[in-house]
């Protein structure tokens, strides 16, 4: 299968925080791969901007080292690396002062597409936006990319949106959530809206429940100070899991366009019902041998911050009324996996004698580690001896179904950055969408504080607290096994 690469226009991309961890691990190695694919014109330039006092040659060496560490299979292409780093520039810039802004203005080519990536703390967004306009570097055609967290509650999200709105129109702002750039997430929309097979069944008449799981094997070591002020609800549920929920539950948009898709996602968030406290489980991982506990990782031995959360929610509209959506995410679990499972209802009556097992069709969308889609169906077990039924998967693991090109599938950051250059906001969150998500999340978090809720402890390497298992067991359902 031949991959169809669509090149973009020549551009200047400024990365504020260009020496930071995200830039070195994801952004620059991703752009390098886009360059090798022929998607990034050779006349384009990437300009790193940060407080580090280095020159462009020093920055190019930094990125050579980053590609050697994080560049994947392409890191051995010495000629490609040299051609790529030749397009890199660096300017020391003070976000809160005047250093470097004139030099940045003089370097920008205003006749091209200009994008500014704020790979910095949200507290600096306002300073950067103000100086970009004060020094006439950004204009009405510029694009700005901002990383999460988009606030820590509704109030701060509104303040952040207001700060950006002072200097940029909403159509210029790209709030990046890398989950939306994953190949399987986009395939979810293709499966739903591109196949007659599924859409007629995608409702409360045929779906029993839906599970969304994002499990990690790592703890919070190295970012414990940040995480302890955030927790799993703010760090994962309010954004990543909420976006997956919206895509699985939304109505078909009029077109595959930015506002059409985001309008439908917003309707889902606004239709979410308030959650009964008994339908929420918080957890915190314990020590495991030489591995520290959450509290030790966070350096706060009295912490009540959750490293795990599971909840049951419902959407109050005609399509989904009565269908529970079960969401869970956590650190230090038994495997690294992200999965959406659509569990269909039982058949009304079994005609096969002696078949007492519950058979259900399950559509499983695997986001990581192995992207793909499976449909569990019931068939006759091969061999003589009557009609013995077994459940088997119809498997479409992308690497197997689509060949070598699928194994070389584009990283989420690569895809999303190229969408910024194209001016396509479909896979980026809109301001009102972010605020609506916080409006639903805040009462849950505030309820924990009001009740002085304490997370349940769970063993590292497990599937989470026992209470999370009971969340489904008491309704006659079970979580799918967490496996990589």
């Amino acid at each position: 299968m031949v991959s169809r690469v669509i090149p973009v226009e020549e551009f200047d991309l400024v990365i504020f925080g260009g020496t930071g961890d995200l830039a070195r691990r994801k952004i620059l190695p991703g752009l390098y791969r886009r360059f090798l694919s022929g998607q990034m014109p050779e006349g384009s330039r990437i300009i790193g901007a940060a407080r580090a006092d280095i020159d462009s040659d020093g920055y190019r060496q930094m990125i050579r080292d980053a590609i050697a560490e994080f560049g994947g299979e392409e890191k051995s292409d010495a000629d490609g690396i040299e051609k790529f780093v030749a397009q890199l520039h660096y300017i020391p810039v003070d976000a809160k002062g005047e250093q470097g802004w004139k030099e940045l203005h003089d370097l920008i080519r205003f006749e091209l597409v200009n994008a500014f990536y704020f790979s910095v703390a949200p507290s600096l967004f306002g300073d950067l936006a103000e100086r970009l306009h004060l020094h006439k570097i950004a204009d009405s055609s510029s694009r700005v990319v901002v990383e999460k967290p988009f606030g820590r509650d509704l109030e701060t999200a509104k303040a952040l949106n207001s700060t950006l709105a002072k200097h940029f129109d909403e159509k210029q702002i790209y709030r990046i959530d890398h989950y939306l750039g994953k190949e399987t997430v986009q395939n979810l929309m293709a499966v739903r809206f591109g196949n007659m097979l599924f859409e007629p069944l995608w409702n409360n008449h045929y779906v029993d429940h839906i599970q969304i799981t994002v499990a990690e094997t790592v703890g919070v070591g190295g970012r414990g100070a940040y995480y302890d002020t955030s927790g799993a609800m703010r760090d994962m549920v309010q954004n990543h899991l909420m976006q997956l929920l919206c895509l699985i539950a939304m109505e078909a948009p009029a077109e595959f366009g930015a506002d059409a898709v985001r309008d439908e996602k917003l309707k889902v968030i606004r239709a979410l019902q308030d959650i009964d406290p008994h339908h929420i489980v918080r957890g915190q991982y314990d020590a495991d041998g030489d591995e520290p506990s959450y509290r030790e990782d966070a350096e706060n031995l009295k912490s009540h911050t959750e490293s795990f959360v599971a909840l049951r929610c419902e959407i109050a509209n005609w399509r989904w009324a009565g269908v529970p959506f079960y969401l869970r995410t956590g650190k230090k679990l038994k495997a690294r996996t992200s999965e959406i499972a659509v569990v269909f209802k039982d058949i009304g009556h079994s005609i096969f004698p002696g078949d007492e097992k519950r058979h259900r069709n399950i559509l499983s969308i695997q986001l990581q580690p192995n992207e793909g889609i499976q449909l569990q169906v019931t068939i006759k077990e091969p061999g003589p001896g009557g009609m013995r039924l077994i459940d088997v998967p119809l498997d479409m693991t992308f690497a197997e179904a689509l060949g070598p090109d699928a194994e070389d599938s584009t990283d989420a950051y690569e895809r999303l950055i190229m969408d910024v250059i194209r001016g396509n906001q479909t896979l980026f969150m809109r301001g009102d969408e972010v605020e609506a998500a916080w409006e639903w999340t805040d009462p849950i978090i505030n309820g924990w504080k009001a009740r002085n809720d304490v997370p349940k402890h769970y063993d590292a390497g497990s599937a989470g607290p026992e209470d999370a298992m009971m969340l489904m067991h008491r309704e006659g359902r079970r979580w799918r096994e967490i496996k990589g």
Side-chain angles (χ1 to χ4, degrees):
M1 187 182 75
V2 178
S3 177
R4 291 182 295 175
V5 175
I6 303 173
V8 298
E9 297 178 58
E10 198 171 318
F11 63 87
D12 280 349
L13 172 64
V14 179
I15 304 173
F16 292 104
T19 59
D21 189 64
L22 179 62
R24 292 184 300 103
R25 283 178 174 270
K26 291 289 186 180
I27 301 174
L28 272 304
L31 287 167
Y32 164 63
R33 287 189 288 269
R34 290 304 89 209
F35 173 79
L36 289 184
S37 75
Q39 197 170 2
M40 180 178 156
E42 288 196 18
S44 298
R45 297 187 306 187
I46 301 164
I47 303 166
R51 296 189 66 180
D53 187 17
I54 58 176
D55 59 15
S56 290
D57 286 339
Y59 188 61
R60 291 179 185 118
Q61 186 56 51
M62 177 185 292
I63 303 310
R64 285 189 191 96
D65 295 340
I67 292 172
E69 187 172 358
F70 307 112
E73 294 180 2
E74 297 87 351
K75 64 186 180 183
S76 59
D77 186 345
D79 184 57
I81 292 174
E82 289 310 306
K83 288 180 179 178
F84 174 72
V85 298
Q87 298 182 229
L88 302 183
H89 301 265
Y90 180 83
I91 295 177
V93 169
D94 184 357
K96 292 181 174 291
E98 296 306 309
Q99 179 189 6
W101 292 102
K102 182 181 183 302
E103 291 81 359
L104 182 58
H105 175 278
D106 293 343
L107 187 58
I108 293 290
R109 297 171 294 178
F110 294 97
E111 71 277 9
L112 302 182
V113 171
N114 289 306
F116 303 93
Y117 199 126
F118 289 6
S119 181
V120 296
S123 60
L124 294 177
F125 288 178
D127 295 298
L128 292 175
E130 182 178 348
R131 280 165 175 75
L132 282 171
H133 281 83
L134 179 65
H135 293 276
K136 295 182 171 53
I137 299 171
D139 57 26
S140 59
S141 67
S142 300
R143 295 152 197 176
V144 58
V145 185
V146 294
E147 282 276 348
K148 80 176 189 77
F150 310 114
R152 56 175 284 104
D153 52 26
L154 179 58
E155 182 181 356
T156 54
K158 284 183 173 180
L160 185 57
N161 283 338
S162 177
T163 296
L164 292 170
K166 289 178 183 177
H167 304 285
F168 298 100
D169 184 80
E170 179 64 35
K171 292 188 179 298
Q172 296 178 264
I173 302 170
Y174 293 72
R175 297 172 186 82
I176 192 167
D177 183 337
H178 70 274
Y179 261 63
L180 295 186
K182 291 182 179 293
E183 187 71 31
T184 323
V185 172
Q186 295 176 66
N187 254 299
L188 170 59
M189 288 189 278
V191 167
R192 275 202 61 190
F193 304 125
N195 294 280
M196 179 57 73
L197 175 65
F198 293 113
E199 185 57 25
L201 308 179
W202 216 262
N203 55 58
N204 54 9
H205 297 296
Y206 300 100
V207 175
D208 179 79
H209 71 278
I210 292 174
Q211 301 182 26
I212 302 176
T213 297
V214 177
E216 299 178 87
T217 55
V218 297
V220 300
R223 59 193 294 254
Y226 157 75
Y227 197 93
D228 205 45
T229 63
S230 173
M233 193 71 184
R234 287 190 175 99
D235 189 54
M236 293 295 293
V237 176
Q238 186 274 338
N239 41 76
H240 296 330
L241 272 72
M242 180 72 74
Q243 290 297 308
L244 298 180
L245 171 65
C246 288
L247 292 175
I248 204 79
M250 73 182 192
E251 297 296 322
E255 61 179 355
F256 188 64
D259 281 332
V261 170
R262 296 188 294 184
D263 285 347
E264 297 303 332
K265 288 198 295 176
L266 181 61
K267 291 175 186 176
V268 173
I269 300 173
R270 288 180 172 165
L272 281 169
Q273 294 183 317
D274 295 338
I275 297 186
D276 185 319
H278 294 98
H279 290 160
I280 308 172
V281 176
R282 303 169 74 212
Q284 196 181 82
Y285 62 82
D286 285 330
D288 178 25
D290 294 332
E291 294 294 316
S293 68
Y294 171 82
R295 294 184 176 191
E296 291 169 324
D297 274 340
E299 298 182 355
N300 180 0
L301 299 182
K302 295 182 178 181
S303 175
H304 287 176
T305 299
E306 75 284 355
S307 62
F308 174 99
V309 65
L311 53 88
R312 177 195 191 277
C313 59
E314 291 193 20
I315 299 170
N317 62 22
W318 281 24
R319 181 185 288 267
W320 295 114
V323 176
F325 287 72
Y326 298 96
L327 281 60
R328 64 174 169 170
T329 183
K331 302 282 189 182
K332 282 287 182 80
L333 298 180
K334 64 190 299 184
R336 173 179 174 263
T337 186
S338 294
E339 181 196 60
I340 302 169
V342 181
V343 182
F344 293 94
K345 292 183 177 180
D346 295 340
I347 58 173
H349 169 69
S350 177
I351 66 172
F352 304 106
D355 180 45
E356 298 177 354
K357 181 181 177 183
R358 172 182 286 179
H359 298 282
R360 280 182 168 168
N361 300 124
I362 301 173
L363 180 67
S364 169
I365 300 102
Q366 188 83 13
L367 279 65
Q368 63 181 21
N370 301 311
E371 293 188 280
I373 297 173
Q374 284 188 348
L375 177 63
Q376 178 176 295
V377 297
T378 302
I379 66 168
K380 175 190 175 295
E381 184 177 5
M387 292 291 291
R388 297 185 305 274
L389 303 185
I390 58 172
D391 297 323
V392 298
L394 299 178
D395 193 348
M396 197 194 84
T397 302
F398 291 162
E400 296 176 3
L402 303 179
D405 289 333
E407 296 179 358
D408 189 31
S409 59
T410 307
D411 178 81
Y413 275 98
E414 300 172 42
R415 177 177 291 107
L416 293 173
I417 292 173
M418 291 297 104
D419 278 353
V420 173
I421 302 303
R422 293 190 184 95
N424 183 353
Q425 289 185 304
T426 305
L427 299 176
F428 297 83
M429 286 182 281
R430 203 167 58 193
D432 55 358
E433 193 181 341
V434 172
E435 292 178 15
W438 279 119
E439 195 169 353
W440 180 77
T441 306
D442 275 0
I444 299 172
I445 297 173
N446 293 336
W448 294 339
K449 293 178 181 177
R451 296 188 300 273
N452 195 29
D453 184 87
V454 178
K456 308 292 183 182
H457 290 269
Y458 63 94
D459 293 333
S462 70
E466 285 297 320
D467 289 51
M469 305 300 113
M470 292 305 301
L471 182 67
M472 296 190 72
H473 288 182
R474 61 177 175 244
E475 296 184 344
R477 301 183 176 99
R478 290 184 177 274
W479 288 108
R480 286 170 59 79
E481 182 182 357
I482 294 177
K483 54 185 180 181

